[in-house]
Amino acid sequence: TKASTVTDVVELSVTGLTSLHSDGRTAIEDISFDIRKGEIVGIAGVEGNGQSELVDTILGVRAAVAGTVRLGDTDLSSLTTKKRRSAGIGIIPQDRHRQGLLLDAPLWENAMLGHQAQKPFARGVWIDKPGAREITQKIVDRFDVRTPSVDVNAVALSGGNQQKLIVGKEMILEPSVLIAAHPTRGIDVGAQAAVWDELRDARQSGLAVLLISADLEELIGLSDTLLVMFEGRLVAELDPADVTPKTLGSHMTGVAVDAKDRVWTLNQTDPPVQVYDTDGNFLFAWGDGLFKFPHFIRINPEGNVWAADFSRHIIRKFTPEGKLLLTLGTPDKAGADATHFNRPTDMAITPSGDVFVTDGYGNNRVVHFDKNGKVIKTWGTLGVAAGELSQPHSIAIDSAGLQIGRAA
């Protein structure tokens, strides 16, 4: 059990952040979260679900069409990427060769990247080569970058040492917030452990970290809070102490595992329902044309399949073979009464078959159905205090009862 280092001081606050792809499609939508001093917030999700676009929008590389980014008391939303970096945001990019290094340049030049206008790398408008070489040597010593000299080109280093150089150059200037995108991808176990130790030590010293990774063990082991991205939205908030890679994966990908250890996936392309064995071998599929925006999939105790259609405002129950058994909500009609959803964001199923649905966008409520689809109760009051709901995105049942996570 790790001792909490999380304070009450919010370092990075992202509110309602939305951005677009170049063709006008939504890249990320209505993203909201806070990161406090001494906290690591992990972002889980299958790659391609908006994680890189989120990083680019926070940094100002990609323009936001709505929402704000605040660093402490400073609104960064209208600032350039350079000014956001100077204000105190560090970045470990997801691709060290394309985004983090000049492979044919010496280490001291690489250490300057992103900081070349700041001391000790610059003196006025001029590059301070002695200052740059001196701090690069400090990075090499502190972060155990194995190299004979700071004048060696980056291409000569192993992948692990290249990554330690990138981590070191971002952390040595003591940013307020560090965005770490896949910080241990493609490096050996020893370098991975070194990077993890640096992140833990920095958190202990009060650094706020946004961790994006495809390594579920890394996310669970390092994070204080876990958020899940799916199709450019945050769809769940989880406590790392209570999740396993299996349960985290089910939130990430629209995945469920049945009693026969078959892996059920719900996909954005036809056929949407695809089933695999645990080694990834395809078994069967169904559902062509049934969904506009497939959102999550669950298996009930009887082995039937529940699947949500976010855009059609419904959740449906099918047999394992794809025969429709029951529809909750009214197809293609949003609403707030017992027969309508606005946007069903998640569901939990009791051992007896009762269903609890979070209707998170607009309605801010939970709807309780019996196993036959009869509404038992709805509840929810908009707010952020204990007992109130604000965009409830995830729901689970444990021995203590219902656990509800919200997006903001």
Side-chain angles (χ1 to χ4, degrees):
T1 302
K2 62 188 179 187
S4 177
T5 60
V6 182
T7 71
D8 293 330
V9 180
V10 175
E11 285 284 21
L12 183 70
S13 182
V14 174
T15 306
L17 201 61
T18 300
S19 65
L20 306 177
H21 291 293
S22 58
D23 61 3
R25 292 179 299 114
T26 299
I28 59 170
E29 183 175 5
D30 197 26
I31 301 292
S32 298
F33 61 87
D34 292 336
I35 310 179
R36 293 163 174 81
K37 287 179 68 70
E39 181 178 27
I40 297 179
V41 171
I43 300 283
V46 175
E47 291 187 62
N49 276 276
Q51 299 94 318
S52 61
E53 290 83 358
L54 173 61
V55 171
D56 287 348
T57 309
I58 291 173
L59 289 172
V61 175
R62 181 184 296 268
V65 296
T68 60
V69 178
R70 298 187 67 87
L71 186 65
D73 294 328
T74 305
D75 188 344
L76 305 181
S77 305
S78 62
L79 299 185
T80 64
T81 299
K82 178 181 176 181
K83 290 182 177 179
R84 296 186 195 205
R85 297 274 274 134
S86 298
I89 297 182
I91 173 67
I92 300 171
Q94 66 176 5
D95 188 326
R96 60 179 171 270
H97 288 169
R98 293 184 179 182
Q99 300 167 309
L101 294 171
L102 297 173
L103 292 175
D104 293 324
L107 302 191
W108 68 266
E109 287 188 14
N110 276 279
M112 295 172 55
L113 295 177
H115 309 293
Q116 57 268 25
Q118 300 173 237
K119 293 181 179 180
F121 299 105
R123 184 182 301 163
V125 298
W126 303 103
I127 296 298
D128 185 348
K129 182 176 178 180
R133 294 185 79 260
E134 180 180 353
I135 196 167
T136 305
Q137 187 61 55
K138 290 181 180 178
I139 294 169
V140 166
D141 295 340
R142 173 179 159 183
F143 293 88
D144 192 28
V145 180
R146 305 295 176 86
T147 177
S149 165
V150 298
D151 296 310
V152 169
N153 285 355
V155 70
L157 271 59
S158 68
N161 284 299
Q162 290 174 349
Q163 192 70 3
K164 286 190 286 185
L165 176 70
I166 292 172
V167 172
K169 81 182 187 66
E170 293 301 316
M171 295 179 66
I172 200 141
L173 296 181
E174 299 182 348
S176 300
V177 172
L178 177 68
I179 300 173
H182 306 282
T184 61
R185 169 176 285 169
I187 61 178
D188 62 35
V189 173
Q192 180 187 62
V195 171
W196 286 354
D197 286 344
E198 289 294 339
L199 291 174
R200 291 189 184 102
D201 290 346
R203 174 180 58 188
Q204 186 74 34
S205 300
L207 182 64
V209 179
L210 179 62
L211 172 64
I212 296 170
S213 179
D215 184 333
L216 303 191
E217 298 284 358
E218 179 172 76
L219 285 166
I220 293 170
L222 291 177
S223 300
D224 300 287
T225 300
L226 275 172
L227 304 176
V228 181
M229 285 196 78
F230 183 73
E231 289 294 322
R233 301 172 177 89
L234 292 181
V235 297
E237 179 178 339
L238 307 170
D239 184 344
D242 297 330
V243 300
T244 64
K246 181 176 177 179
T247 57
L248 179 57
S250 71
H251 284 281
M252 285 170 48
T253 57
V255 168
V257 180
D258 67 16
K260 299 178 181 179
D261 281 339
R262 296 180 300 186
V263 181
W264 294 72
T265 71
L266 190 60
N267 304 275
Q268 294 292 311
T269 56
D270 284 334
V273 179
Q274 299 180 21
V275 186
Y276 299 80
D277 66 21
T278 53
D279 292 322
N281 298 306
F282 176 77
L283 300 177
F284 60 92
W286 49 263
D288 282 22
L290 284 178
F291 296 86
K292 282 187 179 179
F293 192 140
H295 188 54
F296 61 77
I297 190 167
R298 301 287 183 265
I299 308 295
N300 71 6
E302 299 170 345
N304 292 318
V305 180
W306 287 92
D309 194 320
F310 199 77
S311 293
R312 297 195 67 195
H313 317 287
I314 56 174
I315 302 173
R316 289 173 287 186
K317 181 168 73 171
F318 301 89
T319 66
E321 294 76 27
K323 179 183 177 180
L324 179 64
L325 298 175
L326 181 67
T327 299
L328 303 182
T330 301
D332 303 311
K333 292 184 179 180
D337 60 21
T339 61
H340 294 79
F341 295 117
N342 186 26
R343 302 286 191 186
T345 51
D346 199 7
M347 71 184 297
I349 306 170
T350 69
S352 63
D354 278 19
V355 172
F356 293 83
V357 177
T358 48
D359 191 12
Y361 285 101
N363 289 339
N364 297 293
R365 64 176 181 166
V366 174
V367 187
H368 178 191
F369 300 87
D370 68 16
K371 66 179 182 179
N372 298 313
K374 179 183 177 181
V375 176
I376 296 175
K377 184 179 181 180
T378 67
W379 79 88
T381 301
L382 177 62
V384 296
E388 298 175 331
L389 301 176
S390 175
Q391 293 186 13
H393 265 66
S394 62
I395 188 167
I397 297 173
D398 64 13
S399 58
L402 287 173
Q403 306 292 327
I404 301 171
R406 66 188 183 210

